[in-house]
Amino acid sequence: MVRPQARDIATLSRTRELLEKYGFSFKKSLGQNFLIDPNILQRIVSVAQLSRDKAVVEIGPGIGALTEVLCRAAGKVLAIEIDQRLLPILQESLAPYDNVQIVHGDVLKLDLHRLLAEHLSAYEQVSVVANLPYYVTSPILMKLLEERLPLERIVVMIQKEVAARVAAEPGSKDYGSLSVAVQFYAEAEVAMTVPAGVFIPRPNVDSAVLNLRLRERPAVAVEDEQLFFRVVRACFAQRRKTLYNNLLHNLFGKENKEQVISLLQAVGLDPMRRGETLSLAEFARLANEFARLRQAAASGNERV
Ligand code: SAM
């Protein structure tokens, strides 16, 4: 079969042509801002360090602007799109490529382990590369990380402020529970910032490309992951409050002042510090000691 010639999708003229041909109108509620700058696409792909022996999962291919560049750089591309109206457009725009598989569905609801096993099992290294819909950035990132998908990297275009929060270091104003949650699973860096003008329609915010390199094992050893994240969330619950106050009101309950003090003493943390100054290792110490206290209390029938 002779496949049609590839014409770059990520140009304003080709994008307009496709949108008009199919009478497509953008849905803001689905975070639809399509890339129209081939240079940005090349830069995203170079951050992802793809090669023919690697596979890629793309979330939200839109009309295929990034998908096409991924098809040229990787061995296989699995692209998940929620908006059914885009499927016929993708069929036309990606017709020149035989290494792409489009899956229709909501990435938050799909069984990604199964999809990877079904479509990409021939590849040892799989990365996620995507220009994410901004309304669901954090749930998507957390799903990819918490489900422990066998991924090498996650390279995603997201809102600049969110990228800064994900990659923030302890003590900075952007550091919060999202930074801890992501950095627990991955090394995070902001690879580049991207102006609003490279999208159609133009979003109200600037964007950045976040580069996550997944760790072989979590950054710190914790007894109980759920408990670790509960402790982290409690410590950040009210940013202006001290560790002592946040733990008292959001984890222990206000009648347990002494237990909070003795927990903090046991791990050598100053009760007057704020959650935003704690490193992952300090959160792990705190959570592990809390887990130990709970176990001790449970066996002695005390309440913690
Ligand atoms: N990749 C294209 C590009 O760069 O031009 C489009 C990116 S656009 C920011 C986000 C895409 O994600 C849209 O195509 C949208 O329909 C799709 N999308 C939104 N929510 C989704 C979800 N829950 N699951 C899968 N795709 C989704």
Side-chain angles (χ1 to χ4, degrees):
M1 190 180 84
V2 180
R3 287 186 168 265
Q5 289 287 303
R7 263 175 75 196
D8 279 359
I9 301 166
T11 61
L12 186 56
S13 60
R14 178 74 171 134
T15 301
R16 283 211 172 119
E17 182 188 308
L18 283 166
L19 298 181
E20 272 165 29
K21 179 171 174 188
Y22 289 87
F24 182 85
S25 53
F26 292 101
K27 264 196 195 155
K28 210 172 167 192
S29 62
L30 290 179
Q32 291 177 335
N33 301 94
F34 296 168
L35 274 164
I36 48 164
D37 185 328
N39 294 324
I40 296 287
L41 291 171
Q42 285 306 337
R43 288 173 63 196
I44 296 175
V45 170
S46 73
V47 172
Q49 300 191 11
L50 298 173
S51 52
R52 284 285 175 197
D53 57 348
K54 297 184 181 182
V56 181
V57 177
E58 186 192 7
I59 297 159
I63 60 167
L66 174 60
T67 327
E68 167 175 72
V69 186
L70 296 173
C71 286
R72 291 174 185 159
K76 184 153 182 200
V77 181
L78 177 72
I80 301 166
E81 175 56 61
I82 198 171
D83 188 346
Q84 189 152 22
R85 299 172 308 151
L86 289 165
L87 304 185
I89 308 185
L90 285 165
Q91 207 166 25
E92 173 175 339
S93 66
L94 297 176
Y97 305 95
D98 60 6
N99 58 341
V100 59
Q101 174 78 48
I102 307 289
V103 172
H104 177 222
D106 179 346
V107 69
L108 292 174
K109 295 191 181 142
L110 289 170
D111 179 346
L112 297 180
H113 278 282
R114 190 181 56 75
L115 278 177
L116 259 67
E118 224 168 83
H119 298 284
L120 304 180
S121 60
Y123 293 85
E124 260 177 41
Q125 283 173 317
V126 180
S127 291
V128 168
V129 183
N131 170 19
L132 287 183
Y134 291 178
Y135 76 108
V136 278
T137 300
S138 303
I140 292 177
L141 283 181
M142 291 324 298
K143 172 171 170 134
L144 297 173
L145 295 168
E146 283 170 354
E147 291 190 358
R148 301 277 170 93
L149 290 160
L151 297 173
E152 182 194 1
R153 278 171 200 277
I154 300 176
V155 176
V156 280
M157 175 98 78
I158 59 176
Q159 196 178 324
K160 192 168 130 192
E161 284 72 21
V162 182
R165 277 169 47 209
V166 169
E169 304 272 342
S172 73
K173 71 171 179 20
D174 292 322
Y175 187 64
S177 49
L178 183 64
S179 331
V180 176
V182 174
Q183 291 174 33
F184 182 72
Y185 299 107
E187 286 174 48
E189 72 161 354
V190 178
M192 61 178 166
T193 54
V194 178
V198 302
F199 301 93
I200 174 176
R202 197 188 161 102
N204 297 327
V205 292
D206 278 336
S207 305
V209 175
L210 180 71
N211 180 8
L212 301 180
R213 204 142 51 88
L214 272 78
R215 303 178 193 276
E216 275 183 26
R217 63 187 70 83
V220 287
V222 298
E223 298 287 323
D224 177 336
E225 262 178 43
Q226 272 191 338
L227 202 61
F228 170 74
F229 288 117
R230 236 182 90 200
V231 170
V232 170
R233 278 195 302 274
C235 292
F236 283 112
Q238 282 152 301
R239 286 188 79 87
R240 290 176 183 283
K241 293 213 164 154
T242 59
L243 213 45
Y244 167 77
N245 267 317
N246 267 331
L247 288 171
L248 183 67
H249 295 290
N250 303 299
L251 196 65
F252 280 81
K254 62 179 185 319
E255 67 281 8
N256 294 316
K257 290 183 179 159
E258 278 166 24
Q259 280 147 314
V260 179
I261 292 291
S262 67
L263 168 65
L264 289 168
Q265 265 171 359
V267 290
L269 287 174
D270 179 348
M272 299 311 284
R273 279 177 68 181
R274 301 221 163 115
E276 70 214 53
T277 68
L278 263 61
S279 65
L280 263 72
E282 288 175 317
F283 277 120
R285 255 170 38 216
L286 189 60
N288 287 342
E289 181 62 16
F290 181 61
R292 202 189 60 74
L293 281 177
R294 273 200 353 164
Q295 267 166 11
S299 52
N301 274 339
E302 283 171 46
R303 206 178 134 238
V304 173

